[in-house]
Amino acid sequence: MGAVVFFIFISFWTSVFGQIDFDSFEFQTYLDADETVLLAWTVDSTRTNINIALSYPSTGWGAFGVSPTGQMPLSDIAFFWSENNAIFLQDRYTTDNRAEGPLLDTQQNLILLQGEVVDGNTNIVFQRSISPCDDEDDVAIATGTSRVLYAFAQNDASPVMTEYNADNPELSVVGVTYQDHYHGVNRGSKSVNLLDGNDLKVELEADTMTIDVVVDNYIMPSAKTTYYHTYHEL
């Protein structure tokens, strides 16, 4: 069976490579258990835009998204890769049909700020709006917890630009093969508070008392939902 190839239209900007300082961002967290995919971000003072930095262990393509469920369908996706000393970025989205894959957004609302490939890692910084720029394809960053997604190439593969449009770069054509560009196990999701950070702590008074309420010897039933009530005198 021959290679399956599909073509997508892209929109991109190039960025001068530079050393990205992840510690300069207000918040950061690892998205995977092995701590190889680092997310950092800063929200502007007006809560209008958010600058997002991502580092992942591949020189191939990568993707970061915001999802209403933590799954790929109906997600707002940033897709990026490096080629010829330039970082390429495009705004994508997914429908409820997984077979379609991430589709090009009709409005390209992401702004590439910086990108680099260093020691086998790709690092990228881009800006997106907190509120949707278009209601059809964008997902808002809501107050509280957001479900974020990531994925990257399993074999350092990047899309191949098969037709460059010098007059309209956003109409350049890229060819991608499923065999060469699948993410494999390099994907995941995590609940992250993008607006206020994950390290929110409540300051307690010095004389605050704590009480542990436990239930002993209780066997969890097999039912999907169970309500169990106990009463304790304090």
Side-chain angles (χ1 to χ4, degrees):
M1 178 178 178
V4 178
V5 179
F6 65 92
F7 295 95
I8 54 177
F9 295 102
I10 68 167
S11 175
F12 64 84
W13 298 261
T14 60
S15 171
V16 177
F17 276 31
Q19 198 68 31
I20 296 174
D21 181 10
F22 279 77
D23 291 334
S24 67
F25 291 84
E26 188 175 5
F27 308 108
Q28 62 178 254
T29 184
Y30 285 101
L31 299 182
D32 63 325
D34 294 332
E35 297 189 349
T36 62
V37 181
L38 178 61
L39 171 70
W41 69 99
T42 296
V43 179
D44 68 14
S45 59
T46 63
R47 287 186 172 239
T48 302
N49 297 305
I50 180 171
N51 289 352
I52 296 174
L54 189 75
S55 176
Y56 58 94
S58 173
T59 59
W61 67 265
F64 173 84
V66 179
S67 166
T69 63
Q71 302 295 321
M72 183 177 174
L74 305 178
S75 297
D76 192 355
I77 305 291
F79 182 79
F80 29 79
W81 71 94
S82 63
E83 182 178 345
N84 297 327
N85 295 324
I87 289 288
F88 295 80
L89 170 70
Q90 60 183 159
D91 192 351
R92 289 189 181 186
Y93 70 97
T94 55
T95 69
D96 55 4
N97 182 1
R98 285 179 175 270
E100 291 182 330
L103 304 175
L104 184 69
D105 199 322
T106 55
Q107 295 186 39
Q108 292 293 298
N109 304 125
L110 304 179
I111 301 174
L112 179 63
L113 301 178
Q114 195 174 5
E116 62 187 2
V117 178
V118 179
D119 297 329
N121 281 21
T122 299
N123 306 323
I124 185 170
V125 183
F126 64 93
Q127 183 180 93
R128 62 152 287 170
S129 175
I130 291 173
S131 300
C133 293
D134 65 87
D135 295 331
E136 293 184 2
D137 304 328
D138 290 352
V139 176
I141 296 177
T143 300
T145 300
S146 295
R147 295 289 289 176
V148 301
L149 312 173
Y150 73 88
F152 59 91
Q154 65 178 350
N155 55 1
D156 291 333
S158 287
V160 177
M161 191 176 299
T162 58
E163 182 181 335
Y164 178 68
N165 189 323
D167 296 326
N168 297 288
E170 68 276 6
L171 298 180
S172 297
V173 179
V174 172
V176 181
T177 63
Y178 287 104
Q179 290 91 337
D180 294 336
H181 298 88
Y182 184 56
H183 54 63
V185 298
N186 299 330
R187 64 182 177 89
S189 65
K190 186 173 182 176
S191 296
V192 179
N193 189 323
L194 290 174
L195 292 184
D196 297 300
N198 280 357
D199 297 326
L200 297 179
K201 296 181 181 179
V202 178
E203 296 294 333
L204 301 177
E205 300 292 337
D207 59 351
T208 300
M209 297 178 60
T210 62
I211 299 175
D212 294 329
V213 178
V214 299
V215 178
D216 294 325
N217 299 321
Y218 178 73
I219 300 175
M220 293 295 295
S222 59
K224 184 175 181 180
T225 303
T226 299
Y227 297 96
Y228 183 83
H229 302 276
T230 63
Y231 299 89
H232 305 269
E233 182 177 354
L234 301 179

